[in-house]
């Protein structure tokens, strides 16, 4: 009981994730700034932003639905925090694990997008509604290649449990190379999930103010920003756990440090991608996902099916 | 001053998010505001970020005299911002109405419509002047909150 509470609230649950999320936000912003030839924010910047937002006034439009407006960020936050409990990061052990948890994680990572949609829709602002609709439209484009490429890797490992996938790839490190196409697709679609450039269409601030978050202020905005940070960490950790779980070959503490370094590399790759590519239009984004990423993901699935036959 | 309050003041000083609003300027001050956000000056060093939504912003950067047409909009934007909020008037026109003062369509400087925390004169105010003004505003924040400290007996 105490162990369960510890893993939910402290490590690798709430407390660890909040701090890791804010630190990785700093890494992302600093890398983004350095790539643009800027100095970038100091290390405590995300913490200062978070504390400041906690102390600000909470505003809600009169026409908004108070229940939905207040609950949507909580749902988003809860679901991304839950994701981390199922990711193996301490040797091959995750806090909780069962057969099929990879499917559950993928759906838990979808909940924030839907929560943003609901929050934006019920805040009744024109900009928020436009942004929400864009967020859901985008969801239908990136979700399919993302699921296919992650499940292709699971297919090769012959398991729906993240822990078993991690064990399989730790035993056969060379097999990770077969999934390189899937890794590239996952990285690109993860940018869509995190609503970062080039897929920051839902919150395009030059067009529609701040998308679904337009009407949020104060504590709820702080929670939403923290949700996106944790989503970034959880997404990067999922990529690491599925595509290169090498950390699991080392002893616990060293392995955990290697795991964090791998997550850092994925986050840096994400900031590199968002620096070098400008925002697409929503139709271009959907064309790109369905015309290029889905066929590539299908190719990855086919390759893994053939390999599975050849290797066994 | 308690620790929580101290931390809050620190966070407010370290993370001023700004929103830029043209109240009828000739665009020169707007270009200077945008210039101060470019990599050349990089004010993200001080935690300043440009936000699209007034709900997210702490500091409203106004440029230009208040025209009669923009007056209602300016009040509306100001009221949409969450407390604590600050207004900075950038450029001579925003401070006093400048050369447009007395025109039939001009109400005057920004402080004729909403309360202003800092005035930055200049035609146009240079990026360095804008940064200096914002830093002075934030420093004044520190001293006013310290002034509220109850005197020890």
């Amino acid at each position: 009981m105490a162990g369960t509470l510890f893993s939910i609230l402290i490590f690798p649950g709430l407390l660890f994730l909040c701090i890791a999320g804010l630190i990785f936000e700093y890494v992302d912003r600093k890398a983004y700034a350095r790539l643009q030839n800027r100095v970038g924010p100091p290390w405590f910047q995300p913490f200062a932003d978070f504390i400041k937002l906690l102390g600000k006034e909470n505003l809600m439009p009169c026409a908004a639905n108070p229940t939905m407006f207040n609950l949507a960020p909580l749902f988003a936050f809860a679901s991304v925090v839950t994701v981390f409990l199922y990711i193996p990061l301490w040797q091959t052990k995750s806090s909780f694990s069962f057969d099929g948890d990879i499917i559950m994680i993928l759906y838990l990572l979808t909940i924030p997008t839907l929560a943003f949609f609901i929050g934006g829709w019920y805040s009744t602002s024109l900009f928020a509604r436009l942004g929400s609709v864009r967020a859901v439209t985008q969801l239908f484009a990136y979700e399919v290649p993302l699921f296919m490429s992650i499940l292709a890797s699971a297919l090769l490992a012959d398991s729906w449990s993240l822990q078993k996938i991690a064990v399989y790839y730790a035993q056969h490190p060379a097999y990770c190379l077969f999934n390189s196409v899937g890794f590239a697709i996952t990285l690109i679609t993860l940018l869509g999930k995190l609503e970062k450039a080039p897929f920051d269409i839902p919150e395009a601030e030059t067009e529609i103010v701040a998308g679904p978050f337009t009407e949020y202020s104060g504590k709820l905005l702080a929670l939403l920003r923290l949700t996106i940070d944790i989503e970034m960490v959880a997404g990067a950790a999922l990529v690491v756990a599925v595509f290169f779980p090498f950390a699991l070959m080392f002893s616990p503490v060293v392995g955990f440090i290697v795991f964090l370094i791998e997550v850092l590399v994925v986050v840096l790759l994400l900031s590199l991608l968002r620096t070098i590519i400008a925002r697409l239009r929503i139709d271009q984004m959907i064309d790109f996902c369905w015309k290029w990423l889905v066929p590539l993901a299908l190719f990855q699935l086919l390759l893994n099916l053939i390999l599975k036959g050849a290797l066994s | 001053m308690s620790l929580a309050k101290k931390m809050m003041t620190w966070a407010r000083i370290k993370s001023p998010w700004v929103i830029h609003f043209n109240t009828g300027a000739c665009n020169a001050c707007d270009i200077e505001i945008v210039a101060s956000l470019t990599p050349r000056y990089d004010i993200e060093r001080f935690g300043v970020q440009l936000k699209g939504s007034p709900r997210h912003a702490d500091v409203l950067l106004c440029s230009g005299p208040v025209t009669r047409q923009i007056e209602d909009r300016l009040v509306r934007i100001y009221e949409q911002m969450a407390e604590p909020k600050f207004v900075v008037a950038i450029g001579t026109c925003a401070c006093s109405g400048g050369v447009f003062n007395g025109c039939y369509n001009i109400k005057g400087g920004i402080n004729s419509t909403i309360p202003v925390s800092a005035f930055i004169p200049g035609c146009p105010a240079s990026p360095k002047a804008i940064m200096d003004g914002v830093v002075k505003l934030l420093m004044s924040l520190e001293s006013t909150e310290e002034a509220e400290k109850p005197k020890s007996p």
Side-chain angles (χ1 to χ4, degrees):
Chain A
M1 183 64 196
T4 314
L5 269 183
F6 180 78
S7 62
I8 288 174
L9 292 178
I10 297 169
F11 180 88
L14 207 57
L15 189 70
F16 168 73
L17 273 179
C18 291
I19 293 171
L22 292 174
I23 289 173
F24 278 109
E25 188 200 332
Y26 160 71
V27 169
D28 177 50
R29 278 170 69 177
K30 183 80 178 178
Y32 187 58
R34 289 307 298 152
L35 286 164
Q36 290 179 336
N37 220 356
R38 291 191 284 131
V39 177
W43 67 270
F44 52 75
Q45 195 55 54
F47 294 90
D49 288 349
F50 185 71
I51 296 169
K52 179 205 71 178
L53 283 174
L54 286 184
K56 282 198 68 122
E57 187 188 3
N58 274 328
L59 291 171
M60 189 173 60
C62 319
N65 180 329
T67 327
M68 293 312 227
F69 188 81
N70 290 318
L71 279 184
L74 285 177
F75 268 103
F77 184 69
S79 61
V80 289
V81 171
T82 317
V83 167
F84 225 77
L85 297 176
Y86 292 91
I87 289 174
L89 33 77
W90 198 259
Q91 280 205 303
T92 50
K93 280 217 182 80
S94 50
S95 308
F96 302 97
S97 168
F98 60 92
D99 269 332
D101 56 6
I102 190 165
I103 309 276
M104 199 193 73
I105 285 178
L106 288 173
Y107 279 102
L108 277 176
L109 279 175
T110 309
I111 291 177
T113 316
L114 293 176
F116 296 162
F117 166 72
I118 288 169
W121 185 266
Y122 280 106
S123 58
T124 62
S125 152
L126 185 65
F127 297 119
R129 284 200 164 167
L130 259 177
S132 311
V133 171
R134 285 187 186 188
V136 172
T137 315
Q138 189 171 288
L139 179 80
F140 289 116
Y142 65 72
E143 201 84 310
V144 175
L146 176 67
F147 278 26
M148 283 208 290
S149 52
I150 285 181
L151 294 184
S153 168
L155 195 70
L156 189 64
D158 201 18
S159 168
W160 291 124
S161 150
L162 263 181
Q163 199 166 306
K164 287 180 191 158
I165 295 170
V167 173
Y168 179 83
Y169 283 108
Q171 281 165 356
H172 312 91
Y175 289 4
C176 292
L177 290 175
F178 296 137
N179 292 323
S180 41
V181 177
F183 173 64
I185 296 170
T186 311
L187 216 55
I188 295 169
T189 46
L190 206 56
L191 282 170
K193 190 170 269 307
L194 300 171
E195 296 178 2
K196 288 186 186 295
F199 301 141
D200 59 344
I201 308 157
E203 48 187 302
E205 65 171 23
T206 39
E207 301 165 28
I208 49 168
V209 184
F213 311 142
T214 305
E215 296 294 335
Y216 281 98
S217 62
K219 292 182 192 66
L220 289 176
L221 182 65
L223 202 59
L224 283 170
R225 287 174 57 88
L226 192 62
T227 304
I228 293 183
D229 293 340
I230 294 178
E231 200 182 1
M232 180 169 76
V233 181
L238 178 67
V239 169
V240 170
V242 171
F243 291 103
F244 39 100
F246 303 137
L248 309 171
M249 294 183 290
F250 302 98
S251 63
V253 176
V254 180
F256 183 63
I257 293 166
V258 173
F259 177 82
L260 281 185
I261 292 169
E262 283 176 334
V263 172
L264 186 72
V265 170
V266 173
V267 169
L268 287 175
L269 278 173
L270 288 175
S271 12
L272 178 69
L273 278 174
R274 89 179 172 110
T275 320
I276 58 178
I277 313 172
R279 186 191 311 136
L280 300 172
R281 273 200 322 268
I282 186 92
D283 59 315
Q284 290 171 325
M285 190 264 175
I286 287 168
D287 274 3
F288 173 71
C289 283
W290 283 103
K291 282 185 186 164
W292 296 98
L293 293 185
V294 171
L296 278 173
L298 275 174
F299 164 76
Q300 177 72 61
L301 267 177
L302 198 67
L303 182 76
N304 283 13
L305 274 177
I306 295 168
L307 275 173
K308 205 176 151 191
L311 292 172
S312 60
Chain B
M1 194 156 39
S2 66
L3 183 69
K5 210 172 167 196
K6 233 178 201 165
M7 252 173 98
M8 193 58 76
T9 312
W10 169 81
R12 267 175 204 152
I13 291 169
K14 291 297 176 192
S15 147
W17 290 353
V18 301
I19 180 169
H20 168 208
F21 186 55
N22 182 337
T23 54
C26 65
N27 243 325
C29 291
D30 301 294
I31 289 169
E32 298 301 317
I33 291 170
V34 175
S36 61
L37 296 164
T38 54
R40 176 73 178 83
Y41 295 101
D42 182 30
I43 48 178
E44 205 190 351
R45 283 180 294 161
F46 311 119
V48 181
Q49 271 190 315
L50 185 69
K51 288 286 159 186
S53 167
R55 301 259 192 234
H56 302 183
D58 308 297
V59 182
L60 179 64
L61 302 178
C62 293
S63 55
V66 182
T67 62
R68 292 205 185 277
Q69 209 166 32
I70 211 89
E71 194 189 341
D72 297 343
R73 280 88 173 174
L74 177 61
V75 172
R76 205 163 150 193
I77 295 270
Y78 180 72
E79 283 172 353
Q80 278 177 350
M81 289 170 69
E83 290 283 354
K85 55 192 170 187
F86 307 96
V87 179
V88 178
I90 290 172
T92 307
C93 303
C95 294
S96 64
V99 288
F100 301 106
N101 210 357
C103 283
Y104 70 95
N105 57 344
I106 296 294
K107 218 178 152 229
I110 302 292
N111 60 349
S112 66
T113 312
I114 52 175
V116 176
S117 310
F119 295 92
I120 303 170
C123 187
S126 73
K128 282 172 190 166
I130 294 171
M131 283 192 279
D132 185 45
V134 173
V135 167
K136 275 182 182 152
L137 168 71
L138 296 171
M139 289 304 121
S140 76
L141 189 70
E142 195 170 34
S143 56
T144 49
E145 300 214 355
E146 245 166 30
E148 287 170 20
K149 183 168 59 177
K151 300 256 181 329
S152 53

